[in-house]
Amino acid sequence: MRIGIPLSLHSKEEGKAPVLDISYQSKMLSLLKKGLSNQNPQLFNELYSKNQIKNFATSVFFPHAQFYGKKIILGSEQNAIFYFSTNDIKLGLNIFNAFQWLRQHSPLSFNSQLDVNVGRVFDVPLSTITSSQVIFKTMSPLVVRRQDGYFLSCTSQRITAEFKKALITSVKAHLSSSELKDKAEKLEFKPIKMRKTVMRPFGQFIEASVGTFELSGDPLLLNEIFNSGLGGKRGSFAGMLGLAKEVDKNDI
């Protein structure tokens, strides 16, 4: 299940262009939390009262924005789209309702400089993967971390055994099904056109990767990853994937 939420961010000062800090993740997450805490306080506490793995992925797209160092100069009117994706339908419906609550109470204060109007939540149709090989593109950075907390990235067509091991460990940690955990052991990651990037959510520097890559594995597992994301920090605007294409046997 994937939904999109149009946002219109505008300056509190009349006539001033809306400018957003490049480390926007904490404020975007606060927006989600505000809606969820009012719509379903119990679920809010389950998700955020302690640090736990999030089985969903998030991303934000800024149409017509201009990026200048640590600042984002936003376009006019509808200038951001918040995406939320999960394989948990019940969770997805609660997030849908959370943003509906925010829409009903718009405009809201986004930060000290900006207000936000939340638009009508819309469904984003996702194809069902039937192939054992697919090409994905990142909609938000892919974060891979070793057990000691060290972040890893991949570039071009290079992948280390260390990166692969950490990625498989992350995939398994996000799965509740023992059957899917077993399938994850055979998952193959092949970078196609990847590059290193750095995220700064909550003031923390995080090495990550963006671009396109191929995943090979059981279609059930690939669909789970497509819906709920890949890698770590998914609840902090990482790990969301777009489907570029399924690889047909005739393509190999």
Side-chain angles (χ1 to χ4, degrees):
M1 177 183 183
R2 184 168 299 181
I3 57 174
I5 306 94
L7 304 176
S8 295
L9 294 153
H10 51 276
S11 176
K12 295 176 186 280
E13 186 178 336
E14 187 175 353
K16 188 174 182 180
V19 179
L20 189 63
D21 191 275
I22 197 69
S23 299
Y24 60 82
Q25 291 89 347
S26 62
K27 293 301 181 182
M28 286 291 177
L29 182 58
S30 293
L31 189 63
L32 184 155
K33 286 181 175 181
K34 183 178 183 67
L36 187 59
S37 62
N38 281 278
Q39 188 273 327
N40 191 331
Q42 181 178 349
L43 178 58
F44 171 81
N45 288 328
E46 289 174 6
L47 288 174
Y48 295 107
S49 62
K50 59 182 179 181
N51 188 22
Q52 65 178 46
I53 289 174
K54 305 296 191 294
N55 288 318
F56 58 83
T58 47
S59 175
V60 181
F61 172 60
F62 299 105
H64 312 299
Q66 300 177 47
F67 293 78
Y68 295 97
K70 297 181 180 180
K71 299 294 181 182
I72 306 172
I73 299 178
L74 300 171
S76 58
E77 299 181 4
Q78 186 187 112
N79 47 23
I81 304 175
F82 189 125
Y83 290 101
F84 180 94
S85 189
T86 183
N87 210 34
D88 185 334
I89 300 299
K90 184 178 178 181
L91 172 61
L93 290 175
N94 273 283
I95 298 300
F96 180 97
N97 291 334
F99 277 103
Q100 289 288 70
W101 184 93
L102 291 169
R103 179 170 180 260
Q104 292 166 5
H105 292 80
S106 290
L108 300 157
S109 178
F110 184 78
N111 59 24
S112 58
Q113 288 83 39
L114 300 173
D115 287 331
V116 60
N117 282 295
V118 177
R120 184 183 297 274
V121 184
F122 61 91
D123 179 61
V124 180
L126 297 181
S127 301
T128 299
I129 295 170
T130 58
S131 172
S132 60
Q133 287 179 269
V134 293
I135 296 175
F136 286 121
K137 56 185 177 182
T138 57
M139 290 182 62
S140 52
L142 173 61
V143 175
V144 175
R145 179 169 52 177
R146 297 189 317 208
Q147 289 186 326
D148 63 2
Y150 186 85
F151 292 100
L152 305 169
S153 62
C154 66
T155 58
S156 188
Q157 295 183 340
R158 297 174 54 197
I159 178 175
T160 64
E162 183 181 44
F163 183 93
K164 179 180 177 180
K165 180 181 178 181
L167 180 66
I168 298 299
T169 299
S170 174
V171 171
K172 293 173 66 176
H174 284 82
L175 298 171
S176 57
S177 163
S178 58
E179 178 185 3
L180 287 181
K181 286 179 185 286
D182 291 338
K183 295 180 185 300
E185 291 288 352
K186 300 177 181 179
L187 190 69
E188 293 291 335
F189 178 97
K190 178 185 176 182
I192 296 174
K193 190 176 181 180
M194 300 289 287
R195 64 177 176 84
K196 174 183 172 181
T197 189
V198 176
M199 300 173 61
R200 289 190 61 190
F202 314 104
Q204 178 187 16
F205 285 89
I206 295 176
E207 182 177 331
S209 309
V210 293
T212 57
F213 59 90
E214 181 181 282
L215 273 188
S216 301
D218 188 282
L220 286 175
L221 178 59
L222 296 178
N223 277 292
E224 173 69 32
I225 290 171
F226 185 29
N227 277 274
S228 296
L230 180 67
K233 299 289 182 182
R234 301 181 194 177
S236 300
F237 303 93
M240 185 176 286
L241 304 177
L243 180 63
K245 66 174 291 187
E246 294 191 50
V247 180
D248 188 86
K249 291 181 180 179
N250 295 327
D251 297 332
I252 300 173

